[in-house]
């Protein structure tokens, strides 16, 4: 069962939280002290290939920082 992310979890995503190699979004993994998940638990959420161009656009040429700006 894969549950959708909460809006506040998506808002807290960083560029480093997008794993293009494994097609996953990482929640609460890169900054465990600043975990935006409801239960403060780290998890990975796979994303479909259709979302890849959207994520690439959001990242742009940036190396770090918030995914959504």
């Amino acid at each position: 069962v894969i549950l959708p992310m909460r809006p506040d979890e998506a808002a807290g995503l960083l560029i480093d939280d997008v794993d293009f190699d494994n097609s996953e979004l990482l929640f609460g993994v890169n900054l465990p002290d600043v975990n935006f998940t409801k239960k403060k638990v780290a998890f990975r959420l796979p994303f479909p290939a259709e979302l890849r161009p959207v994520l690439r656009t959001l990242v742009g040429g940036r190396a770090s920082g918030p995914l959504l700006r």
Side-chain angles (χ1 to χ4, degrees), residues 3-69:
L3 300 174
M5 68 185 116
R6 292 180 165 83
D8 56 329
E9 293 168 346
L13 281 172
L14 302 173
I15 290 172
D16 292 338
D17 294 330
V18 182
D19 182 349
F20 285 107
D21 293 334
N22 296 308
S23 297
E24 293 179 327
L25 298 174
L26 313 175
F27 293 88
V29 173
N30 289 315
L31 294 175
D33 294 337
V34 186
N35 188 329
F36 294 99
T37 64
K38 185 175 181 180
K39 296 284 187 176
K40 307 292 187 220
V41 175
F43 65 96
R44 297 169 177 267
L45 183 68
F47 63 81
E50 295 84 4
L51 192 54
R52 183 176 294 273
V54 174
L55 293 170
R56 288 266 185 223
T57 299
L58 289 171
V59 170
R62 300 179 297 142
S64 64
L67 182 63
L68 304 173
R69 51 182 170 145

